[in-house]
Each structure stands twice: as structure tokens, then as C-alpha cells.
Amino acid sequence: MTRKRLRKNLIRILFVLLCFIRVGTVSGENGEKLTVGVPVDRCPVFYLDDQGNVVGIGADLMILAAGNAGYTVTFRPITEKTLKDALDNPVYDIVMPFGSAITSTAGQPTEVSDNLIRTPFTLVTEGNRDLPPLNRLRVGMLRSQGGVAETVRTLYPGMEINMYETMSECVKALRNGNVDALLHNSYVWSYVLQKPSYSDLVVQPSAMFSMDFRAGTTDTPEGNAIIERLNRGIAEVSETQRQAITLDYTSRRLYRYSLSDYIYMYGWVILCAFLVLSLAVMLLIRRQRRNRQAQEEKVRRLIDEDPLTGVLSMEGFRKRVEELLKENPDIPYMISYNNIKNFKYINDSLGRAAGDDLLRFWVARSKDMLGEEEAMGRTAADRFVVLYHMKGDEKIRRDITDVLEPVRDYFIQQGKENRVQLCCGVYVLTPEDYRNIDVDRMLDCARIAERRVRDSHRDGYEFYNPDQWKIGQQTGAICDHLSVALRNGEVQVWYQPQTDYAAGKVIGAEALCRWHHVSLGWISPGVFIPLLEKAGLIYELDSFVWEQVCRDLQKWNRKGLRFSASVNLSRSDIREGRDIAGQFRDLVKTYELSAGQLRIEVTETAFTQDAGLLLQTVVKLREAGFQVEMDDFGSGYSSLHMLKEVPVDRIKLDLNFLSGAGNPEKGRIIICHIIRMIRSLGMKIIAEGVENESQAKFLRDQGCSEMQGFCFYKPMPVQELETIIESPDMEDDD
Ligand code: C2E
Ligand code: MG
């Protein structure tokens, strides 16, 4: 029994020893050199190890056989596309592997060695597939296996063999159905099929055939000598050695996973991990950002907020006011500086806590009154500053009743005798304050007014700039009240007739609006028109006037009194996207007028601003049949260029040249030439502001017969105009 086991163990040791046979052990250190060209893309038959040496079943077998024949082998990876090409390269003494003798690419016959090992060739398919008979099979092979392909072709002439450069191309062709199966050495399959993404490929169970594994060279005397000598070495290779070498390589896990393999195998895991990680990073960043924002907010509050009352600190108030003025340049604001006159006495007599309560109460009351676009700050113990909309007397009254009075009576309401004395100074912001925002300067002004109250030994409030306050009040009263005024008849359309002096008859009228304000009384267009223009409200008024004029013209048309009127178009009426010409077209249609009955006056200065849009509007109005007039010509900076460029029908010449300051004689000369020039340009002309007979005669003598002015008629209510146009003279003229 023991002997038997000993013998068994000895065989095992021998087997292991054989497995470790490598160059040098068999070949000897000083053997003759033999350069062998081999492909290196056929793991485990031939491949490069980590050090770049050619290794594999084929390599070990060759080392063993060549060593037996007294050669020391040096392998060179072949660089040629096929073994057939490599045969023609003299750097290789021999090339391998070959199944049988073939002809080189250059047409050289070859001599091949004896068989080193019989290698099984197997078919691989995509899944378990029924294959057609071998003679009708379409197979895919690596191009570098051209030699094997030739052998296969002789064995199976009906087989279609397609060659591909790489294994991945082979697999692609298989998957696309371009071939039925792939053919390769079984040892190589044992390696290739370890690739995870090839897990769907199946080896067809029965080996298709075995192929010899030989070395070869061109049929030359030297080549033949090498082959002959090599064959002797091959003959010495035992079957056990062959098996040991094969087992050695086929039992190793040689396949190394690439990045794409890992992605294939763990794609979902990697994706999920990536998503989870990204989410975690995002959450972390968000949290950090939120923490930072909270921190910043905390710091900002510490700087910008008053800890006792929660209103803005001086710094915060300054910033907020700057922001609000920049964001709302059209809101009229005022700023107040408020102080409790007897605060020290309150603290001393009622205690600090009572003083703090009073401050908090004041803030609570004020905050209820403040809107989003207003601000309140505390600058010192009992000093509060407030920026608020100027909304007229009503707002001030509410401030007094809802804030100041309750604060004054705060302790009295608690049954104590202390009446709080408040001193307030108010500064009304001017347009300059919006252009150059200087909060400290505004507060200084408010503080000066507050001091005036304090120094006068009374309490209450005072304005630093009462005139500005009045202007602001008036602006508010006009702009805030416009819509109501238009509805309840405060705004009326008056007319100033225009005459032909030479003919002595009325030829039309200009519509001029008049406003009898419910609280301000009669206000002049010279006052309210610029305010409405600035507030962006003039269009509301003008649309009202245009419609009223059309209504009047319709009424007169129906009476058979054909009349025409001019209306004023403000430059602020013209805006991108607003179709003024379309609006006039609609009006004449609605009121059944002819376009010639309406003349549209655009002030001369308007042409110097936003010229492009204005010109477009003028062109469209004229195309629609309306007459366009250039108003106030001569009162601004008239330009000859404008006369050339602007396509108007009539010029309204402002008689400022005659009545204004300066040399009247020069004025006359200028007017004389202007009239001539305008007539030569083919435009009509009407003089406005004609105040006396001598002006009228002068104008007539210069060829300007159409006139408008106090010399003839002042602007009048519609009823008065009707008596003029209904007079028999007018009817005759018609
Ligand atoms: P304007 O269009 O140049 O109108 C002529 C102004 O000159 C009118 O002033 C008129 O009363 C005044 N006037 C007429 N004859 C004489 C005169 O002999 N001597 C003097 N010193 N003045 C005379 P009013 O009605 O106060 O209008 C002033 C301006 O307000 C108008 O100038 C016009 O630009 C504007 N306006 C009036 N109504 C409207 C309107 O409904 N819409 C628009 N956008 N502007 C209007
Ligand atoms: Mg006018």
C-alpha cells in the first residue's frame, strides 16, 4: 500500500516539475539562436505577459521543442497582417502556427515542421442555435488566421468564410446575423469567452475538427535545415509535457477585466452608486449653501436690524432706501426723522423696560401702516426714520391718528400721567434725490426740520421743504385723480378757432383740454400736461380728448356743418407696440368721419427725440389720410434738417419770434424768411399765438393767412364754438 502511494506521489512530483519547464532548463543557456515570429492576440496560445514577453501554450511548446534541438528561442510578435505575409519577412527564422504547408503572400512555397500539438477548433454561436450543415455554414474568423482558413476551405469547400480584423468585429458580425458561427482554436475560446459581455456566446459542444500546430518557413535550404533540426526536438516532446503545458495555461485565469467589462458587469451598480453619490453631493452642497445663507442672513441681520424692535438699523435703512429709490424712481417719497422729546425722563421715571415697550409699540403701529416699498429704521435710542410714499393729506392724517396719537397716549392709556412728546421732521424728496441718492443728506434735512419743532418747545411735525411738499401734493392730486376726473366730467374739451385772415372766416379749431379739478379748481394744461407726461398717464387723457373731438365732429356732421379740428399728440403717446394710426382710423370709422376732418399736431421738440418711431407714426398717419402738423415750430431748437426730413402737411409757427425777448426787427426778418421757405417747400403754414392786428397784418403780407390766437378767439367751451360754426356766415362758406 505504502509503495503504491509513494509511486503515485512520485508521478505527481514529476508532473509538477514538467509544468515548470521553461526556457533555459531544456534549451540550455548557450544554444543557437532561433527567431520565431508569432501572433500575440491569441491568449492563451500566444500572448504578451506583464513584462512584454511572448508566452502561452504555443510559446512553451516551441521553447521545449527548440531546446531539445539545441536552440535558444527568441520570439518576435509579428507585425504583418497575416502569417502568410510574415513568411516573406527574413527577420523571422520561422513563423508559427500553421496547420499545414501554405504559400507565402509573395508566392513562396513553405516547409512546415512536424506537429507540436493537435489543437481542437470549435464553433461558437450566439445562444443555442441550430446550425446549417457545415458545407453551407457561414463562419467568421480572425484575419490573422488566414492559414487555418485555407485549410478549412479545403476541408469544407461549401463553407463561406468571412474574415475580420478583431474579435469584437467577429462577435458583431455574429450578432448582426452576418455569419452563423465563429471559428477559433478552443484554447483561445477558453480565454475569449471569459469576457462578461460575451456571456451569450455558446460553444457548440462537439469540436468541429482538430488542427495541427506547426512552425513553418519558406522552402529554402536554411529553412529546411531548421525545420529538420526542429523536428528532432519535437519528436522528443512527450505527450505528458504537452498536456502539462496545455493544462497550465487553460487552468489559469488569464483574462483581465477592462473598464468596459466592469461597466458591463456592474453598469447598474455603478450608475446607481453614481446617482446616489451625486445626490449626496448635491444635498451636501445645498445644505452648505443654506447654512452659509443662514449665516450670512444672521450677520446681515446683526448689521442691518435693530435687535430691540426688529426694524432696520441705520446701516440697513440706508441700504434699503438706496434700493427702493433705484427700483422706484417714479414713486414720490418723503423721509421723516422722529424723536421722543422726553424719552430720558420716561426711562428715569418709568424704567428702561417701559421705555423699551414704548419703542416696540411705536414700531408695531408704524409697521401696520408701511407697505412693501416703504422702510423704517432706528438710528439711536429713541430716533426712528421712515421712508414712505407721499400720498397726500389723507396719509398724513392716518399717520397722526393711527401712529402718532396712540404713541403720545401710550402711558396715559395705562393709567399713568406721562404724555409722550414726539418731534418729527419731514423731507420731501426732489427729482435730484433720485438721480444722486444720498440718504444721509436727506436725513440731515429731515433732522433740521425735527430740530425746529424741538426748539420751538412744542411737539408735532414740520416739513423741511414745504414747497416741494406742495408740488408733491399737487402731483398726487392730479395724477392719482385723473381716471376719476375723466369719468365725472372734470376734464372738458375746449376749442380755439383758427381763421383765414385774408378771407375773414373760421377754417377749423384746435382742441385744448381744460380741467376743473374737484379740489384744486381750474388747472392749466401747462401744469397738468407735463405732470401726466412724466407719470406716463398722458395717453389716458389724450385718448379721451380724441374721442370727444370725434364725437363733436360727428354731431356737427349730422347737422350738416362740416368742420375740422386739430388734436394734440404728446410724444409720450408714441410707444413701441402702440398703433396710433390704427387708433385714429378706428375713431373716424366709428364716428363716420372723413380722415381729412382730423389734423394731428405733434410738437416740434418731439421730432428731436425718439425720431425713428415718431417718423414711422407720422408716415402711417399720413398714409391713412390724416393731416399731420408740426406744432410750436420756432419755440424750441428748430432745425432746418428737420424741415427737410419730417414729412408733415402744415407747420404751426409759434409767434415767439415776434413777442419774445430780443430784437423784434430781427424776429420779423426771420419770420418773413421762414414763411417763404416753408411755402417753397410746398408745406402749408399757420401762425399761432397771434395777439394783435399788427401781427396779423404782417403775417398776411408775408403770405401767411391762416392764424390762431387771442387776436381772434380765445379757447372756448364747445357750446360757444357751436354758435360760431352754426352762424350763417359759416354755412354760406360751406
Ligand atoms: P399748444 O398746442 O401750442 O396750444 C396752444 C396754446 O397756446 C394753448 O394753451 C392756447 O390757449 C395758447 N394760446 C392760443 N392763442 C394764444 C395767444 O394769442 N397768446 C398766448 N399767449 N397764448 C395763446 P393751452 O390751452 O394752455 O395749452 C398749452 C399746451 O398744452 C398746448 O400747447 C398743448 O401743447 C398742451 N395741450 C393742451 N391740450 C392738450 C391735450 O389735450 N393733449 C395734449 N397732449 N396736450 C395738450
Ligand atoms: Mg397744439
Side-chain angles (χ1 to χ4, degrees), residues 392-577:
D393 288 337
E394 176 55 24
K395 166 103 171 162
I396 296 243
R397 264 195 294 280
R398 274 192 60 209
D399 252 356
I400 293 171
T401 55
D402 295 1
V403 182
L404 298 184
E405 290 300 345
V407 171
R408 268 189 188 131
D409 295 342
Y410 180 67
F411 293 117
I412 292 174
Q413 289 294 325
Q414 294 174 5
K416 294 170 191 145
E417 287 183 352
N418 309 58
R419 190 164 196 272
V420 179
Q421 288 182 291
L422 289 171
C423 299
C424 314
V426 184
Y427 172 72
V428 180
L429 273 64
T430 64
E432 179 59 19
D433 292 317
Y434 293 82
R435 284 192 289 272
N436 296 311
I437 302 170
D438 184 347
V439 182
D440 289 332
R441 199 193 70 78
M442 299 176 215
L443 283 177
D444 281 346
C445 296
R447 195 182 292 131
I448 290 169
E450 181 267 336
R451 181 164 291 237
R452 268 190 236 143
V453 179
R454 206 157 19 111
D455 290 349
S456 64
H457 301 292
R458 50 186 179 89
D459 65 353
Y461 69 91
E462 198 167 289
F463 284 99
Y464 171 82
N465 45 355
D467 294 345
Q468 191 65 35
W469 164 248
K470 278 197 194 104
I471 293 172
Q473 289 290 88
Q474 200 184 38
T475 308
I478 289 171
C479 297
D480 298 348
H481 187 61
L482 176 69
S483 302
V484 178
L486 292 175
R487 272 200 307 277
N488 67 14
E490 286 177 46
V491 180
Q492 299 166 12
V493 176
W494 284 28
Y495 293 94
Q496 184 175 29
Q498 299 168 332
T499 52
D500 183 328
Y501 183 60
K505 61 173 186 176
V506 172
I507 50 167
E510 175 179 7
L512 295 160
C513 72
R514 293 291 178 265
W515 189 341
H516 189 252
H517 195 280
V518 69
S519 54
L520 303 175
W522 282 107
I523 39 173
S524 152
V527 172
F528 64 80
I529 298 279
L531 289 181
L532 294 178
E533 280 182 337
K534 191 162 172 272
L537 296 168
I538 190 70
Y539 180 66
E540 202 180 326
L541 176 101
D542 278 348
S543 299
F544 168 86
V545 172
W546 302 337
E547 177 133 26
Q548 185 55 47
V549 169
C550 290
R551 213 176 282 132
D552 289 341
L553 287 171
Q554 185 189 42
K555 185 171 71 179
W556 300 328
N557 276 355
R558 284 182 180 163
K559 285 185 186 171
L561 307 166
R562 210 178 152 69
F563 198 65
S564 65
S566 343
V567 291
N568 287 286
L569 175 79
S570 164
R571 62 173 176 275
S572 322
D573 290 328
I574 296 163
R575 286 221 185 126
E576 201 74 58

Side-chain angles (χ1 to χ4, degrees), residues 266-446:
Y266 304 114
W268 278 109
V269 180
I270 293 170
L271 189 73
C272 290
F274 177 75
L275 288 178
V276 169
L277 205 76
S278 311
L279 202 74
V281 169
M282 263 164 55
L283 289 176
L284 203 76
I285 291 173
R286 236 177 72 175
R287 218 171 96 182
Q288 273 187 338
R289 196 179 293 160
R290 237 189 255 151
N291 283 350
R292 206 180 48 234
Q293 276 171 351
Q295 205 65 26
E296 280 171 5
E297 182 63 22
K298 224 171 170 178
V299 173
R300 196 191 62 76
R301 267 209 218 128
L302 280 177
I303 298 171
D304 291 352
E305 261 183 38
D306 167 42
L308 177 71
T309 60
V311 292
L312 297 166
S313 66
M314 181 60 215
E315 188 54 37
F317 182 75
R318 196 179 283 124
K319 272 195 238 162
R320 184 71 187 131
V321 171
E322 283 173 3
E323 260 170 38
L324 285 172
L325 296 193
K326 275 181 199 152
E327 284 166 14
N328 309 294
D330 296 327
I331 295 182
Y333 277 115
M334 54 192 189
I335 217 164
S336 72
Y337 185 90
N338 313 281
N339 176 17
I340 300 174
K341 203 172 174 184
N342 50 346
F343 193 60
K344 188 172 167 357
Y345 175 72
I346 290 168
N347 272 341
D348 291 347
S349 58
L350 302 175
R352 274 190 82 86
D356 288 350
D357 286 347
L358 170 67
L359 297 179
R360 280 192 284 263
F361 175 75
W362 187 354
V363 165
R365 280 288 170 150
S366 303
K367 270 190 166 170
D368 287 347
M369 297 275 293
L370 292 180
E372 280 286 295
E373 285 145 349
E374 295 171 309
M376 181 174 191
R378 182 176 172 227
T379 58
D382 58 340
R383 318 278 154 101
F384 286 97
V385 284
V386 186
L387 175 88
Y388 45 93
H389 286 205
M390 211 164 59
K391 282 205 181 128
D393 288 337
E394 176 55 24
K395 166 103 171 162
I396 296 243
R397 264 195 294 280
R398 274 192 60 209
D399 252 356
I400 293 171
T401 55
D402 295 1
V403 182
L404 298 184
E405 290 300 345
V407 171
R408 268 189 188 131
D409 295 342
Y410 180 67
F411 293 117
I412 292 174
Q413 289 294 325
Q414 294 174 5
K416 294 170 191 145
E417 287 183 352
N418 309 58
R419 190 164 196 272
V420 179
Q421 288 182 291
L422 289 171
C423 299
C424 314
V426 184
Y427 172 72
V428 180
L429 273 64
T430 64
E432 179 59 19
D433 292 317
Y434 293 82
R435 284 192 289 272
N436 296 311
I437 302 170
D438 184 347
V439 182
D440 289 332
R441 199 193 70 78
M442 299 176 215
L443 283 177
D444 281 346
C445 296

Side-chain angles (χ1 to χ4, degrees), residues 4 19-20 23 46 94 105 153 263 283 292 328 352 450 475 540 554 561 565-566 599 604 622 650 704 729:
K4 230 179 179 180
C19 291
F20 285 97
V23 190
F46 290 113
I94 51 169
T105 306
R153 264 191 203 105
I263 291 174
L283 289 176
R292 206 180 48 234
N328 309 294
R352 274 190 82 86
E450 181 267 336
T475 308
E540 202 180 326
Q554 185 189 42
L561 307 166
S566 343
R599 291 186 300 273
E604 180 214 50
R622 294 189 72 213
R650 188 160 75 158
C704 171
D729 291 356

Side-chain angles (χ1 to χ4, degrees), residues 102-168:
I102 55 169
T103 315
S104 80
T105 306
Q108 293 273 333
T110 54
E111 180 69 23
V112 291
S113 71
D114 290 341
N115 190 16
L116 276 150
I117 189 168
R118 284 194 74 76
T119 48
F121 268 68
T122 12
L123 289 171
V124 157
T125 53
E126 193 191 11
N128 260 326
R129 230 197 239 177
D130 286 338
L131 288 176
L134 291 176
N135 249 325
R136 291 214 314 271
L137 201 63
R138 293 173 306 155
V139 295
M141 288 183 76
L142 282 177
R143 189 173 306 286
S144 59
Q145 290 209 301
V148 179
E150 265 183 38
T151 313
V152 175
R153 264 191 203 105
T154 53
L155 289 171
Y156 306 101
M159 186 182 281
E160 178 190 318
I161 300 176
N162 300 290
M163 308 301 272
Y164 301 97
E165 297 302 326
T166 61
M167 184 53 82
S168 69

